Amino acid sequence: MTDVFPPKIKTLFKREAPKNLWIQCPDTGQVVFLKDVEANQWVIPGSNHHLRISATQRLQLMFDGATWIDVPVPVVATDPLRFRDSKRYLDRLKEARARTGLQDAIKIGFGRVDGLSMTLAVHEPEFLLGSLGTAAGEAFIRGADTALEKRTPYVVFTASRGARMQEGILSLMQMPRTTIAVRRLREAKLPYVVVLTNPTTGGVTASYAMLGDVHMAEPGALIGFAGPRVIEQTIREQLPDGFQRAEYLRDHGMIDMVVHRHDLRATLARLCGLLMRSPALENEPGVAVREIPTRTEAELQLIEDPSPNRT
């Protein structure tokens, strides 16, 4: 018997499948074409799962024409505690900056949202888990100062695992500092709106994430201080289904509304326009302008004194 071996002929044209052509839904395991997810604002079409997006992607989705003015943030000490665990903190920062193109975990932008001027602060979830450190705290405060200077609403998109352990007490001190910045906005009667995205936990939840005039959240976002596993181990009880998710917190009064990513821009513009009592905006080239109805003097007096016996 003669052994027969197949000929070793290589194809002339090698076909390579592009990388990252498909994406798998974290909830259902459904495999979806990446271009379809990108066109759907990074929401899985079938399951409606909202994927995490970068700070730059968020600003592109929110601002008219995907254009805005980047607000520079102050430069702070890079490694004040000279912290080192399995890797030097300086090395972690260099890697995060190279990966994201940002200096730290919060990016500030100023522009128009549906024709209304707004200042936005957005967490970058890929920069050390969006953690709050000295630089991020300074960025938040610079965003608040910009809103005060421009007389605009201040909208913050949170996506953070909490305070940054590599900066110790300096990181924790950002909690009262950002709280003071929010108070200054309130004294100036400027709207401060928080949009909670997945995940928002730890020191960010314990400070400026829960101080908004209005709290929105994306569907399915994890929102809390400690994680569900830690809580279960502490109280030794099984937590209810959907605990710490956006829908659960809305139903129990912790947040005001859950808004789909497709509707966020229009909802924010309408809400901030009402809070600012904005008149019709002047037409500008390339800017889609909405007319925001103002209240009459009689309506304002009724709000101030709703008593039926008022003459």
Side-chain angles (χ1 to χ4, degrees):
M1 184 176 180
T2 304
D3 294 333
V4 179
F5 297 94
K8 297 181 178 180
I9 301 175
K10 296 183 179 180
T11 179
L12 296 177
F13 303 99
K14 188 176 181 181
R15 299 180 62 186
E16 294 183 357
K19 295 181 180 179
N20 300 327
L21 187 61
W22 303 90
I23 190 170
Q24 188 174 31
C25 175
D27 284 343
T28 64
Q30 171 191 7
V31 178
V32 188
F33 192 42
L34 180 63
K35 290 292 184 181
D36 292 340
V37 178
E38 183 178 0
N40 200 39
Q41 298 186 9
W42 300 101
V43 178
I44 304 292
S47 64
N48 203 37
H49 178 86
H50 284 52
L51 296 172
R52 293 192 193 105
I53 58 177
S54 69
T56 301
Q57 289 172 325
R58 179 74 68 180
L59 294 176
Q60 289 172 344
L61 291 177
M62 293 304 302
F63 283 116
D64 295 348
T67 57
W68 67 91
I69 298 173
D70 276 326
V71 178
V73 297
V75 177
V76 300
T78 306
D79 186 10
L81 302 182
R82 298 181 181 180
F83 191 92
R84 184 188 183 103
D85 43 64
S86 59
K87 188 183 295 186
R88 291 196 312 161
Y89 180 42
L90 280 176
D91 294 336
R92 293 188 185 277
L93 286 174
K94 289 178 182 178
E95 292 175 3
R97 287 168 180 168
R99 185 170 59 254
T100 63
L102 301 181
Q103 286 301 303
D104 213 88
I106 293 183
K107 184 176 178 66
I108 309 295
F110 167 76
R112 286 185 179 268
V113 178
D114 262 9
L116 185 68
S117 295
M118 251 183 237
T119 305
L120 269 58
V122 184
H123 275 259
E124 172 53 69
E126 296 301 320
F127 195 105
L128 298 181
L129 302 178
S131 52
L132 175 63
T134 306
E138 289 289 348
F140 179 93
I141 295 170
R142 174 58 61 87
D145 290 342
T146 302
L148 288 167
E149 177 187 349
K150 305 290 187 182
R151 300 296 300 175
T152 70
Y154 190 33
V155 180
V156 178
F157 291 82
T158 61
S160 174
R161 293 289 185 180
R164 190 172 300 172
M165 59 174 261
Q166 291 90 345
E167 295 187 19
I169 189 64
L170 299 177
S171 174
L172 295 178
M173 283 303 297
Q174 306 312 308
M175 296 168 63
R177 295 185 73 236
T178 54
T179 301
I180 293 172
V182 173
R183 184 172 182 179
R184 291 172 57 205
L185 289 168
R186 193 156 295 162
E187 290 172 350
K189 300 187 185 304
L190 292 174
Y192 172 58
V193 180
V194 181
V195 182
L196 304 150
T197 72
N198 186 50
T200 299
T201 59
V204 171
T205 307
S207 54
Y208 57 87
M210 286 300 165
L211 295 176
D213 299 314
V214 179
H215 294 98
M216 301 182 186
E218 288 190 332
L222 175 67
I223 305 163
F225 181 68
R229 180 176 54 83
V230 174
I231 296 174
E232 283 186 337
Q233 292 176 350
T234 302
I235 66 176
R236 298 182 181 180
E237 291 184 11
Q238 185 71 30
L239 297 175
D241 292 338
F243 182 76
Q244 288 189 327
R245 294 292 173 177
E247 293 77 8
Y248 183 93
L249 298 181
R250 176 201 57 198
D251 295 341
H252 289 77
M254 189 170 178
I255 63 176
D256 298 298
M257 62 184 81
V258 177
V259 183
H260 195 283
R261 189 172 291 168
H262 293 171
D263 303 323
L264 262 177
R265 184 166 69 171
T267 303
L268 279 172
R270 184 169 62 251
L271 175 66
C272 290
L274 291 172
L275 292 174
M276 292 288 289
R277 296 179 179 174
S278 299
L281 299 171
E282 296 181 0
N283 289 316
E284 294 185 9
V287 177
V289 179
R290 300 173 300 105
E291 288 193 0
I292 303 171
T294 55
R295 300 180 189 272
T296 64
E297 187 65 28
E299 289 175 328
L300 293 176
Q301 291 178 1
L302 183 60
I303 292 173
E304 294 173 359
D305 184 10
S307 172
N309 297 323
R310 181 178 57 85
T311 57

